[in-house]
Amino acid sequence: MTAALVVNSGSSSFKYQLIELDDERTLASGLVERIGESAGAWKHTNAITGESSSNDAASVPDHAAGFQAMLDAFGKVGPSFDEHPPAVVGHRVVHGGTTFDAATVVTADVEQQIEDLSSLAPLHNPANLEGIRAAKQVFSDVPHVAVFDTAFHQTMPPHAYTYAIPSDLAERYGIRRYGMHGTSHKYVSEQAAAFLGRPLSELKTIVLHLGNGASAAAIDGGRSIETSMGLTPLEGLVMGTRSGDLDPAVLVHLHREAGLDFDELDDILNKRSGLLGLTGNGDMRDVQDAASKGDEVAEAALAVYRHRIRRYVGAYTAQLGGLDAVVFTAGVGENNALLRRRVLAGLEHLGIEVDPDRNELASREARRISTDGSRVAVLVIPTNEELEIARQSAAVAL
């Protein structure tokens, strides 16, 4: 039996899963959070036995201590690393620029390149790198693999990724559309083909990854040809705290008229905009609950959120030259039936017809929510980025 440990590291937390590669079972999962704060926390679940353990007052001063907490949890709750030793450790890395178009074994040079790309994802790459370095201290005798969110979108043609700015500036500073959530988009589009029983190479698919971060992708025959996130994860759909698409002159105007400097503008657009900026609450569940109780501000924000998604569905249908499937995934996409229904309402002219009863059915399984007569299949497919990272890591390193 061969296992992979998958790590998704943030600035103050990391999630992990231990996955058996032969049958793709999750053996254990956990979360270490509030790293560097006065009281950290961790939670660990043994998926084989169902036993869980947690500590809400742990001392987790840094990522290295976080990995030690993870090891302690495995020792306490299991499963045992003696029985399921990881043969590879796979790491999510958000931005690979044009340097990385596939999963890559981590070397000193790769670490440096990830660090060099941090200017393109300053909220993500440094944290991803912290996790890699901490994990390598603990698991020094197995290969570590970086799996990049941007890699899947490297198939976009130049006309899709090019911004209309002076080409010398774009080339000098690496300014182009890169896209994110590629691991999820790849996994979900492949699962959609399997669910429909059709070759991936035949399908024209729009994947809507809707979570606190959100993105859309147009996937033609398994290849990304367009995606909503751009140079950074800020462009595109309205998100929990991120603005998505914005006239760039807004920044100039706020700088001139409000006296905001660029650090303040960056903070506003990444951390204080989106649903949070529109309603004061960045959690879709809370915003929708408020709207259901008659909160007009919340309903207006949801209208903006839905409108942005519909705009991308229409544009990507045109880019694809037809459409076989629309797929909802991630926390909001998988669990919010009302949003799905209202996003796709009135798109019958595109061949999209949602079955109300199927849409309302709550399930953790992949499912069809379109009518039998719908020309376009509408699916809900739970994403599994950790499994996709494990697959790619094993393919590269084992």
Side-chain angles (χ1 to χ4, degrees):
M1 304 289 277
T2 304
L5 179 65
V6 176
V7 178
N8 184 348
S9 181
S11 58
S12 61
S13 67
F14 69 86
K15 297 185 292 183
Y16 60 87
Q17 280 193 30
L18 183 66
I19 296 174
E20 177 55 59
L21 292 170
D22 293 338
D23 56 14
E24 298 190 334
R25 285 184 303 148
T26 295
L27 303 175
S29 62
L31 168 67
V32 180
E33 56 186 340
R34 301 202 298 269
I35 296 172
E37 299 182 20
S38 56
W42 55 260
K43 181 177 181 179
H44 177 88
T45 300
N46 182 329
I48 300 172
T49 65
E51 185 181 358
S52 294
S53 182
S54 62
N55 186 338
D56 290 333
S59 175
V60 190
D62 52 31
H63 283 73
F67 273 85
Q68 185 58 54
M70 180 193 72
L71 292 177
D72 293 344
F74 271 100
K76 180 178 180 181
V77 180
S80 167
F81 276 138
D82 290 334
E83 295 181 11
H84 303 279
V88 63
V89 182
H91 298 267
R92 179 198 180 206
V93 179
V94 167
H95 218 302
T98 57
T99 307
F100 300 102
D101 61 3
T104 304
V105 174
V106 176
T107 63
D109 286 343
V110 169
E111 286 187 39
Q112 185 60 56
Q113 289 168 315
I114 292 171
E115 186 169 352
D116 292 343
L117 289 163
S118 291
S119 62
L120 297 176
L123 301 179
H124 298 88
N125 271 35
N128 302 153
L129 193 54
E130 286 268 341
I132 289 172
R133 288 170 172 164
K136 288 179 74 174
Q137 292 181 29
V138 175
F139 300 99
S140 59
D141 57 347
V142 300
H144 291 250
V145 176
V147 178
F148 298 89
D149 277 10
T150 51
F152 180 63
H153 300 300
Q154 288 298 297
T155 55
M156 286 191 295
H159 59 259
Y161 66 66
T162 300
Y163 291 116
I165 65 170
S167 56
D168 59 331
L169 286 175
E171 183 174 353
R172 187 181 311 158
Y173 297 107
I175 299 173
R176 50 158 283 177
R177 174 174 284 107
Y178 294 99
M180 313 292 160
H181 292 148
T183 306
S184 176
H185 287 298
K186 181 179 187 296
Y187 175 83
V188 169
S189 60
E190 291 173 353
Q191 292 298 112
F195 182 91
L196 295 171
R198 295 181 59 185
L200 181 63
S201 60
E202 292 182 359
L203 287 181
K204 297 179 181 294
T205 306
I206 295 173
V207 175
L208 300 172
H209 177 110
L210 307 178
N212 186 54
S215 65
I219 301 170
D220 193 355
R223 293 166 59 86
S224 174
I225 65 164
E226 180 69 278
T227 192
S228 57
M229 285 180 169
L231 175 75
T232 75
L234 182 59
E235 188 179 359
L237 305 180
V238 176
M239 303 174 227
T241 65
R242 283 173 258 174
S243 65
D245 291 338
L246 190 76
D247 180 348
V250 171
L251 303 181
V252 179
H253 182 74
L254 287 173
H255 174 64
R256 288 173 175 166
E257 300 299 320
L260 299 175
D261 64 31
F262 292 110
D263 287 338
E264 291 172 313
L265 291 170
D266 182 77
D267 181 71
I268 289 170
L269 295 186
N270 277 293
K271 298 180 180 179
R272 295 161 51 192
S273 294
L275 291 176
L276 178 63
L278 292 172
T279 69
N281 193 319
D283 191 306
M284 170 60 76
R285 294 165 295 187
D286 295 336
V287 176
Q288 188 159 289
D289 182 60
S292 70
K293 296 174 181 176
D295 187 321
E296 294 182 359
V297 171
E299 180 51 50
L302 291 175
V304 174
Y305 186 98
R306 295 190 300 267
H307 174 79
R308 190 75 57 83
I309 298 171
R310 286 168 64 88
R311 190 173 78 188
Y312 274 93
V313 170
Y316 286 178
T317 301
Q319 295 284 7
L320 287 164
L323 186 60
D324 296 302
V326 175
V327 187
F328 288 87
T329 194
V332 175
E334 294 169 26
N335 299 303
N336 195 318
L338 177 61
L339 176 75
R340 294 193 299 261
R341 175 170 62 81
R342 297 184 73 178
V343 161
L344 298 182
L347 298 185
E348 291 80 9
H349 62 291
L350 296 180
I352 297 171
E353 298 178 9
V354 175
D355 183 294
D357 294 331
R358 289 176 178 173
N359 183 45
E360 290 292 334
L361 180 65
S363 173
R364 294 183 180 274
E365 302 300 319
R367 58 200 186 275
R368 183 195 302 263
I369 63 170
S370 49
T371 65
D372 291 337
S374 180
R375 191 169 75 249
V376 174
V378 182
L379 309 177
V380 178
I381 297 182
T383 191
N384 194 335
E385 293 172 277
E386 288 78 13
L387 177 56
E388 181 63 30
I389 290 170
R391 287 172 174 173
Q392 292 189 38
S393 298
V396 168
L398 300 182

